[in-house]
Amino acid sequence: MAYTYLSHLYCPRCENRYSANELYNLCSCGSPLLVAYHLEKAKKEWHYEQLHKRLPSLWRYHEMLPVTDPENVISFGEGMTPLIDMRAIGDHYDISYLQMKDEGLVPTGSFKARGAAVGVSKAKELGVEAIAMPTNGNAGAAWSLYASRAGIDAHIVMPKSAPPITHKECQIGGARVYIVDGLISDAGRMVAKAAHKYGWFDASTLKEPYRIEGKKTMGYEIAEQLNWQLPDAIVYPTGGGVGLIGIYKSLQELRGLGWIEEDQAFPRLVAVQAENCAPIVKAYDEGNKESEFWPDSETVAFGINVPKALGDFLVLEAIEQTNGCAVAISDDEILKEQERVADLEGAFICPEGAATLSAVQQLREEKWLARDDHVICLNTGLGLKYPETVETPHTVLAPDYEI
Ligand SMILES: *Cc1c(COP(=O)(O)O)cnc(C)c1O
Ligand SMILES: [Zn+2]
């Protein structure tokens, strides 16, 4: 049996095809490229029973991942994160079956490691020696460390507002870090120029086809963890939208593999953004197929501070095809929610993850979600990476002070 059923790359916009054995960024039409597999063949030869004896990492789905030689796999054991029951919050919001998939447990503290694991492994397989990428922090951290393990040089450009911990993660991994007085979109322009000038591989979000493959494994895991039954809704904090595009892709592949029933409805996919950076929500509300650049974006949930996503049309399509929706949450609400989740559930989640729970409250109030819907929220990172979101006023006591 094959290690992978990888077939080729294709453009979801103009349907051009490309070889998966050569390095590509975007399609000549400017669209991101997606990875295709020999699904018919895989359906005949590969069954989920075979997963049982595999390790609990995303590589358990290697048949539907793009790496052809297992020697090239760069892994820290990422994946198979738990689905955690959120009974207290569920009661609070009148949802009977609310779960959180906790990506804070992934190496480097955010689900960006999924994209990095697969993206870096494939870059290594294709002979890449140096990558460059813009980042709001978490992606740079993950790609730096995985690249370090792969022996690939990394050039990371981040806004000066990115969390200091992510700068440190890049630094200790040996990446060359460039701090810019601007936004991720400015960093992106700088990367594009430098990559061209020095021959570095531009690994910007969706400018390389393979990080989606890493992130789609969240969808495989949710289906496997629920014994190939699907929830009613998946709520996802959306920046570049890679995770949402990936989860939608995984659902289509699972149907193609026959691992979920043909007539089983897909979960409604919900994109959650921050009120001061909500281009996808605006496009959804206006019924547009693409988003517009969101000027002067700002949010504490820096992982979703993306004013214009390259794959916006794919995100909007995934929402439409699953009867999902898009919701914006204020920073104030996000921070309150983060506190509420720690208070009621004991989980210190990241602001992006908190936004999804806040969205659940809103959607339940609007009756978009029903009481007995099975809802899964994605907590995409560790609260520990954002220590500044919690204030700890205190006085220092003399040692002889009696409490
Ligand atoms: C990058 C990031 C997101 C957004 O991910 P996309 O898949 O690009 O939309 C959400 N949360 C955190 C913590 C992130 O780092
Ligand atoms: Zn194209």
Side-chain angles (χ1 to χ4, degrees):
M1 229 184 74
Y3 185 71
T4 174
Y5 289 94
L6 175 66
S7 172
H8 60 273
L9 301 174
Y10 69 97
C11 173
R13 187 181 273 154
C14 75
E15 283 163 25
N16 245 331
R17 285 170 72 127
Y18 297 84
S19 161
N21 302 317
E22 284 166 56
L23 268 185
Y24 286 103
N25 288 112
L26 298 173
C27 177
S28 54
C29 81
S31 163
L33 293 171
L34 298 180
V35 183
Y37 297 85
H38 298 290
L39 277 178
E40 289 289 322
K41 190 156 186 278
K43 182 179 183 177
K44 289 197 199 93
E45 299 175 357
W46 188 37
H47 193 258
Y48 56 69
E49 299 292 334
Q50 289 159 258
L51 298 173
H52 292 329
K53 44 187 182 310
R54 295 189 181 172
L55 293 175
S57 89
L58 62 81
W59 296 100
R60 63 201 278 105
Y61 311 110
H62 59 75
E63 283 88 344
M64 287 292 133
L65 291 172
V67 176
T68 53
D69 181 352
E71 284 290 305
N72 292 321
V73 168
I74 306 294
S75 176
F76 292 104
E78 57 288 325
M80 250 329 164
T81 52
L83 278 180
I84 297 172
D85 287 337
M86 304 291 271
R87 292 218 181 84
I89 291 275
D91 281 352
H92 202 67
Y93 296 158
D94 193 30
I95 291 269
S96 55
Y97 195 8
L98 177 64
Q99 291 184 304
M100 173 177 82
K101 186 160 176 67
D102 192 5
E103 295 289 301
L105 300 177
V106 170
T108 74
S110 87
F111 79 130
K112 289 291 193 303
R114 291 184 188 261
V118 174
V120 168
S121 299
K122 190 64 186 173
K124 182 180 175 212
E125 185 157 272
L126 294 175
V128 170
E129 288 171 4
I131 58 158
M133 65 185 295
T135 179
N136 277 329
N138 284 334
W143 281 71
S144 293
L145 291 159
Y146 280 80
S148 167
R149 189 169 175 84
I152 294 174
D153 291 338
H155 298 268
I156 309 292
V157 188
M158 60 170 74
K160 67 171 196 231
S161 58
I165 181 65
T166 60
H167 184 176
K168 292 177 203 291
E169 290 175 274
C170 293
Q171 192 78 27
I172 200 162
R176 179 76 203 272
V177 186
Y178 310 79
I179 304 294
V180 54
D181 186 7
L183 290 177
I184 178 113
S185 38
D186 301 304
R189 266 192 305 277
M190 291 164 70
V191 163
K193 211 165 158 190
H196 182 74
K197 185 164 157 193
Y198 298 108
W200 302 331
F201 182 62
D202 186 339
S204 302
T205 301
L206 294 183
K207 280 197 189 169
E208 65 76 52
Y210 299 108
R211 62 177 0 102
I212 292 183
E213 298 305 294
K215 289 191 177 183
K216 81 178 180 188
T217 56
M218 289 186 288
Y220 279 80
E221 289 176 19
I222 288 171
E224 186 179 356
Q225 287 168 318
L226 299 176
N227 205 18
W228 315 107
Q229 299 300 310
L230 299 171
D232 296 300
I234 295 178
V235 188
Y236 182 82
T238 304
V242 185
L244 206 80
I245 299 167
I247 290 171
Y248 181 56
K249 186 170 189 282
S250 76
L251 296 169
Q252 293 169 304
E253 287 172 2
L254 286 165
R255 194 174 269 173
L257 288 168
W259 290 11
I260 55 176
E261 301 292 335
E262 194 67 40
D263 57 1
Q264 195 175 159
F266 283 173
R268 291 179 287 167
L269 299 180
V270 179
V272 182
Q273 299 201 293
E275 223 166 63
N276 291 329
C277 184
I280 302 278
V281 179
K282 180 162 184 278
Y284 169 80
D285 285 343
E286 294 172 356
N288 295 332
K289 298 222 172 293
E290 284 184 27
S291 66
E292 287 161 38
F293 184 85
W294 188 281
D296 305 318
S297 62
E298 200 189 335
T299 168
V300 287
F302 62 85
I304 53 175
N305 189 348
V306 180
K308 164 79 183 161
L310 207 50
D312 55 357
F313 69 103
L314 296 171
V315 176
L316 288 158
E317 187 190 314
I319 293 172
E320 191 192 318
Q321 291 297 318
T322 61
N323 300 311
C325 69
V327 183
I329 307 292
S330 72
D331 272 17
D332 208 37
E333 255 320 299
I334 287 177
L335 292 173
K336 278 195 199 126
E337 188 68 38
Q338 197 188 19
E339 222 178 284
R340 193 174 296 133
V341 173
D343 182 29
L344 293 180
E345 301 280 2
F348 186 5
I349 65 176
C350 66
E352 294 85 343
T356 65
L357 288 149
S358 202
V360 166
Q361 177 186 26
Q362 189 173 316
L363 292 170
R364 179 68 191 108
E365 272 170 9
E366 293 168 3
K367 304 259 185 309
W368 193 88
L369 288 173
R371 172 177 299 142
D372 57 2
D373 277 342
H374 179 188
V375 180
I376 294 184
C377 288
L378 265 300
N379 174 43
T380 41
L382 210 53
L384 289 182
K385 292 193 86 168
Y386 308 65
E388 66 290 347
T389 56
V390 183
E391 280 167 31
T392 48
H394 62 281
T395 43
V396 177
L397 307 174
D400 62 352
Y401 179 88
E402 214 171 301
I403 294 174

